[in-house]
Protein backbone atom coordinates (compact mmCIF):
# COMPACT_ATOMS: atom_id res chain seq x y z
CA UNK A 1 0.00 0.00 0.00
CA UNK A 2 1.49 3.35 -1.02
CA UNK A 3 1.14 6.59 0.87
CA UNK A 4 -0.67 9.55 -0.63
CA UNK A 5 1.63 12.08 -2.30
CA UNK A 6 2.48 15.00 0.00
CA UNK A 7 0.37 18.13 -0.31
CA UNK A 8 1.74 21.65 -0.36
CA UNK A 9 -0.37 23.52 2.18
CA UNK A 10 -0.33 26.52 4.52
CA UNK A 11 3.06 28.12 5.16
CA UNK A 12 4.86 25.49 3.03
CA UNK A 13 2.66 26.37 0.04
CA UNK A 14 3.22 30.09 0.59
CA UNK A 15 6.99 29.59 0.81
CA UNK A 16 7.03 27.33 -2.26
CA UNK A 17 5.43 29.93 -4.57
CA UNK A 18 6.12 33.35 -3.03
CA UNK A 19 8.58 35.22 -5.24
CA UNK A 20 8.58 32.39 -7.79
CA UNK A 21 7.09 31.55 -11.16
CA UNK A 22 4.69 28.63 -11.46
CA UNK A 23 4.39 27.17 -14.96
CA UNK A 24 0.89 25.72 -15.38
CA UNK A 25 0.51 23.22 -18.20
CA UNK A 26 -2.75 24.08 -19.92
CA UNK A 27 -3.98 22.82 -23.30
CA UNK A 28 -0.48 21.87 -24.43
CA UNK A 29 1.08 25.18 -23.41
CA UNK A 30 2.91 26.40 -20.31
CA UNK A 31 1.44 29.48 -18.68
CA UNK A 32 4.01 31.23 -16.46
CA UNK A 33 2.46 32.93 -13.44
CA UNK A 34 4.71 35.06 -11.24
CA UNK A 35 3.61 35.13 -7.58
CA UNK A 36 5.12 38.20 -5.90
CA UNK A 37 5.73 38.12 -2.14
CA UNK A 38 3.12 40.83 -1.45
CA UNK A 39 0.15 38.86 -2.81
CA UNK A 40 0.26 40.19 -6.36
CA UNK A 41 0.61 37.97 -9.41
CA UNK A 42 1.09 38.41 -13.13
CA UNK A 43 0.87 36.10 -16.09
CA UNK A 44 1.77 36.28 -19.75
CA UNK A 45 0.78 33.84 -22.47
CA UNK A 46 2.70 33.27 -25.64
CA UNK A 47 1.05 34.43 -28.85
CA UNK A 48 -0.19 30.95 -29.81
CA UNK A 49 -1.63 30.27 -26.36
CA UNK A 50 -3.38 33.65 -26.38
CA UNK A 51 -5.01 32.81 -29.71
CA UNK A 52 -6.41 29.60 -28.20
CA UNK A 53 -7.64 31.35 -25.05
CA UNK A 54 -11.05 32.93 -24.77
CA UNK A 55 -9.91 36.35 -25.94
CA UNK A 56 -9.04 37.73 -22.51
CA UNK A 57 -5.69 39.10 -23.68
CA UNK A 58 -2.15 37.78 -23.62
CA UNK A 59 -1.25 39.15 -20.17
CA UNK A 60 -3.03 39.89 -16.91
CA UNK A 61 -2.43 40.60 -13.25
CA UNK A 62 -4.27 39.82 -10.05
CA UNK A 63 -4.03 38.86 -6.38
CA UNK A 64 -3.21 35.60 -4.61
CA UNK A 65 -3.62 34.37 -1.04
CA UNK A 66 -3.60 31.14 0.97
CA UNK A 67 -6.97 30.01 2.35
CA UNK A 68 -7.86 26.63 3.89
CA UNK A 69 -4.46 25.23 2.82
CA UNK A 70 -5.11 26.10 -0.83
CA UNK A 71 -3.69 28.73 -3.18
CA UNK A 72 -6.47 31.12 -4.10
CA UNK A 73 -6.24 33.72 -6.81
CA UNK A 74 -8.28 36.22 -8.79
CA UNK A 75 -7.21 37.71 -12.13
CA UNK A 76 -8.39 41.15 -13.21
CA UNK A 77 -9.73 39.84 -16.56
CA UNK A 78 -8.65 36.23 -17.13
CA UNK A 79 -11.13 33.60 -15.96
CA UNK A 80 -13.80 36.33 -15.97
CA UNK A 81 -12.20 37.88 -12.87
CA UNK A 82 -13.57 35.08 -10.66
CA UNK A 83 -11.73 33.69 -7.64
CA UNK A 84 -10.53 30.08 -7.76
CA UNK A 85 -8.60 28.03 -5.21
CA UNK A 86 -6.11 25.26 -5.99
CA UNK A 87 -4.88 22.30 -4.00
CA UNK A 88 -1.26 21.41 -4.83
CA UNK A 89 0.22 17.92 -4.43
CA UNK A 90 3.90 17.15 -4.95
CA UNK A 91 4.57 14.64 -7.72
CA UNK A 92 8.34 14.26 -8.01
CA UNK A 93 9.70 17.48 -9.55
CA UNK A 94 6.28 18.57 -10.71
CA UNK A 95 3.12 19.60 -8.90
CA UNK A 96 -0.39 18.35 -9.51
CA UNK A 97 -3.12 20.95 -9.06
CA UNK A 98 -6.86 20.57 -8.58
CA UNK A 99 -8.98 23.69 -8.90
CA UNK A 100 -12.07 24.33 -6.76
CA UNK A 101 -14.32 23.61 -9.77
CA UNK A 102 -12.72 20.18 -10.29
CA UNK A 103 -10.43 21.01 -13.20
CA UNK A 104 -6.91 19.62 -12.72
CA UNK A 105 -3.49 19.49 -14.31
CA UNK A 106 0.21 19.70 -13.65
CA UNK A 107 2.72 22.49 -13.12
CA UNK A 108 6.32 23.11 -12.24
CA UNK A 109 7.69 25.71 -9.87
CA UNK A 110 10.63 27.74 -11.18
CA UNK A 111 12.85 30.44 -9.71
Amino acid sequence: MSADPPSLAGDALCTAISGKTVYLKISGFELPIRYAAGGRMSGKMGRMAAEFSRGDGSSDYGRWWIEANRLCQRWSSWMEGKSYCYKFTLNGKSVRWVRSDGRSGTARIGG
Side-chain angles (χ1 to χ4, degrees):
M1 190 162 119
S2 64
D4 289 335
S7 292
L8 275 174
D11 291 341
L13 175 56
C14 186
T15 299
I17 66 162
S18 184
K20 302 213 174 67
T21 301
V22 175
Y23 298 86
L24 291 181
K25 292 182 183 174
I26 301 172
S27 301
F29 299 97
E30 273 196 339
L31 172 62
I33 302 172
R34 180 76 180 166
Y35 292 93
R40 296 196 182 277
M41 63 180 190
S42 60
K44 185 170 179 140
M45 289 186 227
R47 187 177 62 82
M48 289 292 290
E51 289 177 12
F52 283 104
S53 75
R54 297 185 182 179
D56 295 326
S58 64
S59 64
D60 200 6
Y61 62 91
R63 307 260 328 146
W64 70 272
W65 64 96
I66 304 297
E67 181 178 301
N69 290 318
R70 298 179 302 166
L71 167 66
C72 298
Q73 61 187 36
R74 185 177 61 230
W75 294 102
S76 64
S77 65
W78 287 353
M79 302 175 75
E80 300 175 346
K82 294 179 182 175
S83 295
Y84 288 95
C85 295
Y86 299 78
K87 179 180 178 183
F88 283 77
T89 306
L90 295 173
N91 185 14
K93 292 188 177 186
S94 67
V95 177
R96 177 159 172 72
W97 54 267
V98 178
R99 197 167 68 188
S100 48
D101 64 357
R103 188 166 180 185
S104 63
T106 59
R108 65 182 174 90
I109 300 174

